[in-house]
Amino acid sequence: MEDSLRMFLALGDAVIITDEQHRIIAVNHSYERITGYAQHEIAGKKAGIVRTPFTPRLSYDQMKEAIQDGKAWSGVFTNRKKNGQLWHSSITITPFVKEESTYFVGVFRELERLERGFYLDEERIEGIQGSLLRVLAVSCEIRDPGIEEHLLRVQKLTERLVIRHNELAGLKLSERKQAQIAHSSILHDIGKSAVPEGILYKPGPLASYERKIVEMHTQIGVDILDKVNVELDDTLFEHEFATAKNIILHHHERWDGSGYPYGLSGSQIPLEARIVSVVDVFDALTSKRPYKEKWSTDGALQYLKDKSGSQFDPAIVDSFLSLYEDDSLVENELQHHQMTVTSN
């Protein structure tokens, strides 16, 4: 091993040096202390000796892609010590080329030894966020026993639509952003919890003042979310709540500017609100309610077409229609949805 690489072994963090085939050449004392493996026990073995299935595969894929391109990579690994205990570490792996040979220097910082906090991987964070938003949404609309099914259908269709629209429109939304939109869609109507039942489920047309009360649910919903956010005071939900507020406040805006609460038009309306607007109206039309009969699927799809460019973003309507026409899974889901509504 090159002498210029040995200096890394003097670092206080755990250090591992491997060759081009990822065989271990040297580790420092911190690595030995943390893992329980002495250098003579693991020298010549693959660096994956401490690997566990608890590190997301995406992390390994991103690491391999980076180092194959000759770039440094940083991330978080969940590894296993010699005694079987798990340890979480922030790691930076840097490739070095010396005399036509490539070496990799990995520097680990054990997260368990940080003075504060703990580590949650992305999958667990996403699960916690999704669960809390679902509980919040259902809790706010507990008066209607059928509302949970509606919320879950909206969430599932939003997930499919945002993926399809991202592909067709070439938006290049990250997977994280797509997940945030899907998770947050379940909160779109939490403000209706403050609307009197006599108005919310009125079988006939609403009076003008009753319509104004219903329209207030967008701002009430944001107020509810703000109160929850203040109580949590946690950055774990920062981006989810920002996305949810856009959906709650603006999912009744219309593409031509005739919606509420602010009369936004076109691209002024946040993307996530435009997406949920299409899904919410479709599910509302195809669901039986105390004040209305359900529409047929074809009738609801035709309504979306008729309102494309006035009520809805035309590109999003096109994406929704293509999702329905091309994806047999979605078609089966919609048929099942109709059967469920009919049975109720």
Side-chain angles (χ1 to χ4, degrees):
M1 182 179 66
E2 287 287 324
D3 289 340
S4 59
L5 296 178
R6 293 186 185 277
M7 64 180 181
F8 289 105
L9 300 176
L11 293 175
D13 295 318
V15 176
I16 181 173
I17 301 176
T18 69
D19 62 15
E20 197 164 2
Q21 285 72 45
H22 307 292
R23 291 189 299 262
I24 299 172
I25 298 174
V27 298
N28 68 353
H29 293 306
S30 292
Y31 188 93
E32 292 178 318
R33 174 182 55 78
I34 292 172
T35 67
Y37 286 104
Q39 177 165 301
H40 70 270
E41 294 180 287
I42 57 175
K45 295 183 179 180
K46 289 283 190 175
I49 189 174
V50 295
R51 182 173 177 171
T52 73
F54 302 111
T55 299
R57 178 164 294 278
L58 178 62
S59 296
Y60 289 117
D61 293 342
Q62 291 174 339
M63 175 195 70
K64 291 176 182 177
E65 182 179 354
I67 63 178
Q68 285 174 357
D69 290 340
K71 301 175 182 177
W73 177 85
S74 296
V76 174
F77 280 172
T78 300
N79 290 328
R80 194 179 300 280
K81 302 179 182 181
K82 184 180 179 181
N83 64 8
Q85 292 180 341
L86 296 178
W87 61 295
H88 305 89
S89 59
S90 172
I91 179 174
T92 297
I93 300 175
T94 306
F96 290 89
V97 178
K98 299 291 183 181
E99 296 183 357
E100 300 183 356
S101 295
T102 301
Y103 300 90
F104 298 98
V105 177
V107 180
F108 295 77
R109 174 158 293 180
E110 193 178 14
L111 296 182
E112 284 86 349
R113 291 187 175 271
L114 295 179
E115 292 184 2
R116 296 185 59 191
F118 56 91
Y119 170 67
L120 292 175
D121 62 44
E122 288 296 320
E123 185 175 350
R124 188 175 178 193
I125 288 174
E126 188 171 322
I128 292 172
Q129 291 165 336
S131 297
L132 179 62
L133 296 183
R134 174 178 172 178
V135 169
L136 176 60
V138 174
S139 297
C140 284
E141 304 202 46
I142 198 68
R143 296 175 300 175
D144 186 346
I147 198 64
E148 183 174 3
E149 288 76 13
H150 164 70
L151 297 177
L152 293 176
R153 287 194 301 268
V154 167
Q155 187 179 51
K156 184 172 289 187
L157 272 178
T158 297
E159 180 181 14
R160 292 183 179 277
L161 177 55
V162 71
I163 292 172
R164 176 59 64 89
H165 188 59
N166 185 55
E167 294 172 351
L168 295 183
L171 300 180
K172 298 182 180 179
L173 299 177
S174 67
E175 291 184 5
R176 188 79 190 95
K177 180 60 178 177
Q178 294 177 60
Q180 287 169 0
I181 295 174
H183 283 163
S184 301
S185 66
I186 202 168
L187 296 173
H188 65 282
D189 271 343
I190 62 171
K192 285 186 176 178
S193 60
V195 177
E197 291 185 39
I199 296 176
L200 196 59
Y201 303 120
K202 184 178 179 179
L206 296 178
S208 59
Y209 79 91
E210 293 172 327
R211 172 60 59 187
K212 287 294 183 182
I213 291 173
V214 171
E215 291 180 358
M216 287 175 60
H217 81 275
T218 56
Q219 287 134 316
I220 293 171
V222 169
D223 187 55
I224 292 172
L225 202 63
D226 282 339
K227 287 181 170 62
V228 172
N229 196 25
V230 169
E231 290 298 321
L232 284 176
D233 190 23
D234 195 322
T235 58
L236 184 63
F237 295 93
E238 180 179 354
H239 297 297
E240 275 68 20
F241 279 5
T243 300
K245 286 175 68 172
N246 279 339
I247 291 172
I248 293 167
L249 190 60
H250 299 299
H251 71 285
H252 285 290
E253 303 282 6
R254 300 168 70 103
W255 186 253
D256 62 6
S258 63
Y260 65 88
Y262 298 125
L264 301 183
S265 63
S267 59
Q268 292 178 324
I269 308 168
L271 172 67
E272 48 264 44
R274 284 180 269 147
I275 290 173
V276 172
S277 173
V278 171
V279 173
D280 183 38
V281 168
F282 176 83
D283 190 80
L285 290 175
T286 55
S287 299
K288 181 177 174 60
R289 287 286 181 262
Y291 50 84
K292 63 171 284 294
E293 294 296 323
K294 72 180 183 71
W295 289 31
S296 68
T297 299
D298 289 341
L301 292 174
Q302 186 60 51
Y303 180 87
L304 296 182
K305 294 177 186 177
D306 293 343
K307 298 298 182 179
S308 176
S310 57
Q311 184 172 348
F312 306 113
D313 181 337
I316 293 176
V317 170
D318 289 344
S319 294
F320 186 88
L321 295 175
S322 75
L323 188 68
Y324 176 78
E325 293 165 357
D326 300 342
D327 192 336
S328 59
L329 291 176
V330 173
E331 186 173 1
N332 290 337
E333 270 188 18
L334 297 177
Q335 291 172 349
H336 174 71
H337 159 66
Q338 287 190 338
M339 292 172 60
T340 302
V341 172
T342 302
S343 66
N344 290 339

